[in-house]
Amino acid sequence: MNNDLNLTSKRIPPILISLVLAVAPAHWAHADSDLAALDLSLEELMQVVVTSVTKKEQTLHKTAAAAFVIQAEEIRRSGASNIPEALRLAPGVQVSALGNNKWAVSIRGQADRFSNKLLVLVDGRSVYNPVFSGVLWEALDIPLENIARIEVIRGPGAAVWGANAVNGVINIITSSPSQNLGGKVVLAAGSELRGYTLARYGWNLDPDTSVQIHAKAHDYDVSQSVTGGKGADDWRNQSAGFKLESLKEAGSLQLQGGVYNSRAGDELTMISAPPANTLVRATQEMSGSHLLARWDDKASTTRQNSFQVSLEQSSYKHVILTEQHFTLDLQYKQRLGLGDHHDVLWGLDYRHISDRIDSSPLLIVSDRKRNTAQYSIFLQDEIVLQPDLWSLSMGARLEHNNYIGAVLQPNLRLMWTPDKQNSVWLSLARAVRTPSRSERGAAINVQADPVGVPPFVPPFVVQFLNNQLQEEKLDALDLGWRFQINPTTSVDLAAFLYRYDQLRGAANAAPTLILPAGYLLFQTQENNANSGRAHGLEAALDWRPKPDWRLQANYSWLNLAVQTADLPGQTPSGYADTSPAHQFSLRSSLDLTRKVRWDAWMRYVSEIKRYAIPAYTTLDMRLAWQPEKDLEVSLVGQNLLDSAHPEFGNQFIQSTLNEVQRGFYVKADWKF
């Protein structure tokens, strides 16, 4: 490992040279560049509105949370080709690729391909998968061109959003149809991203109503296996959708919906009988659709009501399992202004999930069909203690579900804004993660020794039993400081101290000899006996040395210690050592001329001990040319510093490990 770190340090000089080359022509740039994002001053960026912290609009300057907003222009100039890559723009977010179609995305640790402490929303609609309490990123097929911003909230959001918003909340907010009038066609092709097509059109139905429709498809090539040769992680998606928005005097109406189909290649080790490991190539097939309607009224200046209903259905087919589920989600909230010092927000939520799961040799479920219901009530009160100086927000959510009954998740936030350049905040919160469908009534077979040494040692199988898990708990202290040093420089600092209780663990039992097959079965009962402690620091710097040159840097430090319970047969925790201690990112966005733009993005990620992943450094670059106002052509190079490198490993599902390769693509973006 030390040799790997030494090799990584040797890569630093080429990175610095590349960044110098990226910014050296700064004196050639024209101050009258028409790039909208760089025309925004830092003062204006601090007034960017966020909604994911308290379910109401508030400026970033007055947000008492570790909030970071990824703007549409930042996504475009980063060269990211999918949502997980775009999330790397935010501090404190770990995005590790397992190839070209799988990711481990987490905030502040406990990363996994199926990370279970991160709530992800699209326009306020949860994309929670009930099987494992996480997100299938390969099925989240939203065109990057349709995203207005991504709000990343680091820290608990359970008092507002409910269970599973433990370590953070990601809310992907799509743009208004009124901002996308006319047509748009995007074409891209390259080495890893073999093909990408987007067609979109927006128009006005009347002076108050606009609508847009889109269709998208992409095709990713296979990457390189860690053992050499081609992997099996090709990825092809097709999707289509619409969004309608009507702004009336009485309120606003939003309708949106979409369908998708995804095919992702996989190669994994499966158990077979008599107990042996079999390498299987399979295609993960996913499809689904959703429909959302939301009404926001304007009853009065002191009272606002909002009602949202969404329907979702999805299908998942793989050798590991076959699953279908249907979700109905109802949300009501009301905002009340009580005098000059109280801004009250309360609401009711109800979610019903109906699913069907077919077992496989890997995953065996006790109930093929299951219906679950979850309902909750929440209340938040933002109190002005001293106008324009001190404010206090207190709230809680009382939630009930089929697995753990009722649970209370409170939150307190204190904000101090001594002037327009400084804001200091503190947050105390409790959040829980509820068990997933597979954790309350399933067994996972893991082949530990497929051969054995007959006749002395028989082969054996390890089986994880999941039927008694309870909620995992987090008690969290967060604090932060936003400081605009001068009109061209701002700093955002956040620190946290977390205590986890009842973390998922497992204890081995004595083996049982299975006859006539002749193998030993080790049944491992999962429990909630483990605990954990975490603390860390995150810093983001935004500097504009010139009107058409922007530098953005962020750094994250994480110290997470998971304590395995001192119980007979207790196995090491699967949450330990799955996240890097250090992450660093530096981006340069430069307008060389009014028509030529150059972007460079360097990232450093320290080692991931659990999977023996050495530290690595990447460099992405983008050169864009805008010959006409409505046409842009760009060349993007990704992972330019090495031919390939690994980023993560597997835990339960033993897919063949792949490396992230150097790649490039050419993209044309035309509006009409």
Side-chain angles (χ1 to χ4, degrees):
M1 187 62 67
N2 290 334
N3 291 335
D4 293 323
L5 293 175
N6 291 335
L7 287 174
T8 300
S9 65
K10 293 178 181 178
R11 296 173 183 158
I12 299 298
I15 298 169
L16 297 179
I17 293 172
S18 300
L19 289 173
V20 169
L21 290 175
V23 303
H27 64 279
W28 298 336
H30 292 271
D32 58 347
S33 170
D34 58 355
L35 185 58
L38 297 189
D39 285 344
L40 285 175
S41 67
L42 291 182
E43 292 92 339
E44 291 172 316
L45 288 176
M46 290 298 288
Q47 298 306 312
V48 168
V49 171
V50 294
T51 60
S52 304
V53 177
T54 58
K55 276 195 176 182
K56 63 183 179 183
E57 294 184 349
Q58 56 186 169
T59 63
L60 189 60
H61 176 67
K62 293 187 176 182
T63 299
F68 189 90
V69 179
I70 305 173
Q71 301 284 356
E73 188 66 18
E74 293 173 319
I75 297 174
R76 186 171 72 94
R77 296 197 64 157
S78 72
S81 60
N82 52 62
I83 290 175
E85 289 179 358
L87 291 174
R88 289 173 169 150
L89 292 165
V93 180
Q94 177 190 349
V95 179
S96 300
L98 288 86
N100 283 348
N101 63 16
K102 305 176 189 70
W103 294 268
V105 180
S106 67
I107 292 178
R108 295 178 174 176
Q110 304 186 47
D112 188 75
R113 178 179 169 186
F114 305 106
S115 296
N116 55 29
K117 294 179 177 62
L118 176 63
L119 182 66
V120 180
L121 311 161
V122 178
D123 290 325
R125 173 180 63 90
S126 172
V127 290
Y128 162 90
N129 187 296
V131 175
F132 59 89
S133 296
V135 176
L136 289 170
W137 294 98
E138 56 268 40
L140 194 58
D141 198 24
I142 303 169
L144 295 182
E145 293 81 4
N146 284 5
I147 296 176
R149 66 186 187 274
I150 302 176
E151 298 180 3
V152 180
I153 312 303
R154 309 182 307 277
V160 172
W161 296 104
N164 306 313
V166 179
N167 282 8
V169 177
I170 294 175
N171 194 4
I172 302 168
I173 300 174
T174 58
S175 54
S176 169
S178 61
Q179 299 173 340
N180 297 327
L181 299 179
K184 184 183 185 71
V185 174
V186 180
L187 301 172
S191 56
E192 300 303 296
L193 178 61
R194 291 188 296 192
Y196 177 93
T197 304
L198 169 70
R200 186 184 73 198
Y201 190 76
W203 69 96
N204 287 323
L205 294 179
D206 59 49
D208 301 315
T209 306
S210 55
V211 63
Q212 74 174 34
I213 57 175
H214 78 268
K216 169 187 172 294
H218 72 237
D219 182 4
Y220 283 79
D221 196 7
V222 297
S223 64
Q224 174 180 300
S225 170
V226 294
T227 58
K230 291 186 176 181
D233 55 340
D234 56 309
W235 181 31
R236 290 179 290 277
N237 273 26
Q238 303 87 37
S239 63
F242 78 94
K243 186 173 184 178
L244 179 147
E245 196 171 69
S246 182
L247 304 176
K248 304 292 186 181
E249 290 186 5
S252 62
L253 172 67
Q254 183 182 128
L255 296 174
Q256 60 174 280
V259 297
Y260 72 90
N261 181 71
S262 173
R263 295 173 60 88
D266 199 3
E267 182 182 73
L268 68 160
T269 300
M270 292 280 289
I271 185 173
S272 61
N277 283 344
T278 302
L279 192 63
V280 178
R281 283 210 171 193
T283 299
Q284 174 184 271
E285 300 182 17
M286 294 172 288
S287 62
S289 61
H290 79 275
L291 184 65
L292 178 146
R294 180 166 62 242
W295 169 257
D296 296 286
D297 75 6
K298 299 176 182 177
S300 69
T301 57
T302 59
R303 181 170 61 87
Q304 298 175 355
N305 298 289
S306 175
F307 181 76
Q308 175 177 302
V309 56
S310 65
L311 303 171
E312 179 191 2
Q313 69 85 25
S314 71
S315 173
Y316 180 94
K317 296 181 180 179
H318 199 322
V319 293
I320 61 174
L321 65 88
T322 300
E323 182 259 347
Q324 298 88 34
H325 74 265
F326 175 84
T327 302
L328 166 66
D329 202 339
L330 304 174
Q331 300 180 23
Y332 170 77
K333 68 177 181 180
Q334 184 180 73
R335 183 177 180 182
L336 296 170
L338 302 179
D340 297 330
H341 296 280
H342 293 270
D343 189 359
V344 176
L345 185 72
W346 72 277
L348 302 169
D349 292 352
Y350 173 79
R351 175 176 297 160
H352 178 85
I353 300 175
S354 176
D355 65 39
R356 188 186 72 185
I357 300 177
D358 295 326
S359 299
S360 75
L362 175 71
L363 182 69
I364 303 170
V365 296
S366 56
D367 298 325
R368 185 168 181 258
K369 295 182 179 181
R370 185 176 291 182
N371 292 299
T372 57
Q374 173 182 308
Y375 47 89
S376 62
I377 179 171
F378 74 92
L379 174 67
Q380 298 281 329
D381 184 10
E382 184 173 344
I383 307 167
V384 177
L385 301 177
Q386 189 171 352
D388 299 322
L389 190 61
W390 289 95
S391 64
L392 176 68
S393 177
M394 297 187 299
R397 176 180 286 266
L398 181 63
E399 184 170 313
H400 183 279
N401 64 63
N402 295 71
Y403 294 139
I404 63 173
V407 60
L408 182 67
Q409 300 174 95
N411 182 222
L412 181 147
R413 300 181 188 272
L414 180 65
M415 169 67 75
W416 177 46
T417 52
D419 51 47
K420 294 183 179 180
Q421 287 72 44
N422 289 273
S423 58
V424 181
W425 58 270
L426 178 145
S427 171
L428 295 170
R430 164 165 284 198
V432 304
R433 182 188 75 85
T434 59
S436 65
R437 169 79 151 91
S438 62
E439 290 173 320
R440 290 297 295 266
I444 300 175
N445 289 324
V446 179
Q447 183 76 24
D449 179 4
V451 179
V453 189
F456 308 105
V457 180
F460 60 87
V461 175
V462 174
Q463 183 181 74
F464 285 85
L465 299 178
N466 303 320
N467 52 29
Q468 298 178 359
L469 285 180
Q470 298 298 314
E471 72 273 20
E472 298 180 318
K473 298 179 179 179
L474 168 65
D475 292 318
L477 166 64
D478 289 81
L479 58 150
W481 176 37
R482 296 186 185 93
F483 176 38
Q484 186 167 328
I485 300 173
N486 56 48
T488 64
T489 311
S490 69
V491 176
D492 190 341
L493 301 174
F496 59 93
L497 180 63
Y498 288 175
R499 182 182 69 190
Y500 297 94
D501 290 314
Q502 297 183 197
L503 287 181
R504 185 178 65 192
N508 288 324
T512 302
L513 180 62
I514 304 300
L515 296 173
Y519 67 91
L520 294 176
L521 176 64
F522 289 83
Q523 288 190 325
T524 304
Q525 181 66 58
E526 295 214 313
N527 56 40
N528 290 93
N530 294 342
S531 59
R533 300 292 184 271
H535 59 272
L537 175 69
E538 296 150 358
L541 170 70
D542 199 329
W543 179 38
R544 305 200 177 189
K546 292 191 175 183
D548 33 31
W549 182 21
R550 183 181 186 185
L551 291 173
Q552 294 170 281
N554 64 65
Y555 168 74
S556 304
W557 171 62
L558 171 69
N559 187 321
L560 171 64
V562 179
Q563 288 81 42
T564 300
D566 186 14
L567 296 174
Q570 190 79 359
T571 61
S573 172
Y575 289 136
D577 299 325
T578 61
S579 296
H582 306 278
Q583 293 190 106
F584 176 73
S585 170
L586 177 61
R587 292 187 62 243
S588 169
S589 301
L590 174 66
D591 292 1
L592 297 175
T593 71
R594 293 186 62 184
K595 295 185 177 182
V596 180
R597 296 151 194 162
W598 194 350
D599 300 277
W601 185 11
M602 183 269 285
R603 294 186 304 112
Y604 168 78
V605 179
S606 65
E607 65 175 333
I608 299 177
K609 295 179 181 179
R610 180 177 181 84
Y611 303 114
I613 302 295
Y616 60 89
T617 306
T618 69
L619 176 67
D620 299 350
M621 296 187 112
R622 176 180 181 268
L623 183 64
W625 174 47
Q626 190 174 2
E628 303 292 340
K629 180 180 179 181
D630 295 324
L631 174 64
E632 182 183 72
V633 180
S634 58
L635 172 64
V636 177
Q638 296 178 304
N639 303 299
L640 298 177
L641 297 182
D642 55 25
S643 59
H645 65 269
E647 292 188 358
F648 208 69
N650 292 311
Q651 190 170 171
F652 292 114
I653 300 177
Q654 298 299 312
S655 295
T656 300
L657 296 179
N658 299 303
E659 297 186 326
V660 179
Q661 291 182 280
R662 179 188 294 127
F664 73 91
Y665 66 87
V666 179
K667 183 177 181 180
D669 189 320
W670 177 45
K671 298 178 183 178
F672 59 93

